[in-house]
Amino acid sequence: MGARGSDADRRIGRRALLIGGAVAAVGSAVLAREELTELYWRLPGVRKPRVEGAVDFGGARWVQASEANFRWADRPDDYGVDLVVVHVTQGDLASAVQAFEDPGHRAAAHYIVGKDGSVTQMIRELDVAYHAGNRAYNERSVGIEHEGFVDRPEDFTDAMYEASARLTARICARYGIPVDREHIIGHVEVPGTDHTDPGEHWDWGRYLKLVKTARTATT
């Protein structure tokens, strides 16, 4: 599951800082009124308007994570996305959803895939989820949790693999992410993490083959 307290600050992103510096340097008179109108939401404490309940993956169920467990952003405009990080919840689906709704948990992933193949989205891909235990990796990745335990291979069902592969294929297509082990990684591979998921029972060969098949079908 996502690392707690790893990215819990609300500092404004790189692009917002550059915009703020430009405004300070040249003054609002130089910037067109239209530009200021379009960029107002990048100021501290203001976020870009969202469609309530919208999901990035067709068929996903939307459940809002606590705002304490992610950072508002506008990816990939402010942070490029080039990674998918695979997690295991170390619990059932309901407990994972409950944890990500809890502001005290201080961590959440964008998606949770159930044993039955259901997909729950809790954070928009636009935003930075606190899931990887590494600020830079959080900013550049989409995190996908999988219901189950790392030491129980039976938790990784056919339905889960297939649904997760379709989800990852769509993410890779959306951001131009290569379907390989350099860009689709486990939580254990994130620098500085103390997590071991998805563990030795996660079948990477099978998973990458399914993602590649699904990715081809999306083109």
Side-chain angles (χ1 to χ4, degrees):
M1 190 176 287
R4 300 181 62 178
S6 59
D7 191 19
D9 66 275
R10 299 298 182 88
R11 285 183 288 178
I12 193 165
R14 294 190 303 270
R15 186 173 178 182
L17 287 172
L18 290 173
I19 292 167
V23 172
V26 303
S28 60
V30 178
L31 292 176
R33 180 178 299 273
E34 292 79 8
E35 290 177 308
L36 291 175
T37 299
E38 291 173 359
L39 299 176
Y40 83 95
W41 57 269
R42 297 187 186 280
L43 299 175
V46 181
R47 66 175 183 264
K48 187 176 183 179
R50 307 298 171 85
V51 176
E52 184 175 357
V55 294
D56 298 303
F57 181 72
R61 172 182 66 138
W62 173 256
V63 180
Q64 174 73 56
S66 168
E67 291 187 25
N69 298 332
F70 69 94
R71 187 168 80 245
W72 300 105
D74 185 35
R75 303 189 310 169
D77 287 344
D78 47 5
Y79 302 106
V81 177
D82 65 354
L83 290 174
V84 174
V85 180
V86 173
H87 302 262
V88 174
T89 60
Q90 291 299 97
D92 62 19
L93 177 62
S95 65
V97 170
Q98 185 177 28
F100 294 168
E101 291 180 304
D102 178 6
H105 189 63
R106 308 301 286 174
H110 295 90
Y111 296 97
I112 309 172
V113 180
K115 296 177 188 177
D116 61 357
S118 62
V119 177
T120 301
Q121 183 169 8
M122 301 194 68
I123 299 169
R124 291 292 306 279
E125 291 176 19
L126 288 164
D127 300 319
V128 177
Y130 305 155
H131 67 98
N134 178 308
R135 181 185 177 92
Y137 274 66
N138 285 341
E139 290 171 348
R140 61 188 286 207
S141 66
V142 174
I144 305 175
E145 289 277 2
H146 296 82
E147 179 185 15
F149 294 85
V150 296
D151 58 350
R152 287 171 38 175
E154 64 270 22
D155 288 347
F156 305 142
T157 64
D158 292 345
M160 173 184 285
Y161 273 118
E162 291 165 4
S164 180
R166 290 192 297 271
L167 171 58
T168 294
R170 289 304 309 164
I171 294 167
C172 290
R174 190 164 16 256
Y175 303 107
I177 301 173
V179 179
D180 59 37
R181 287 287 284 115
E182 291 184 9
H183 297 87
I184 303 173
I185 66 173
H187 193 180
V188 66
E189 298 169 86
V190 175
T193 187
D194 60 356
H195 287 241
T196 62
D197 54 317
E200 63 180 347
H201 299 299
W202 182 260
D203 190 338
W204 281 109
R206 177 185 181 185
Y207 188 61
L208 267 291
K209 184 177 180 180
L210 287 169
V211 175
K212 288 176 181 177
T213 298
R215 178 70 178 86
T216 300
T218 64
T219 58

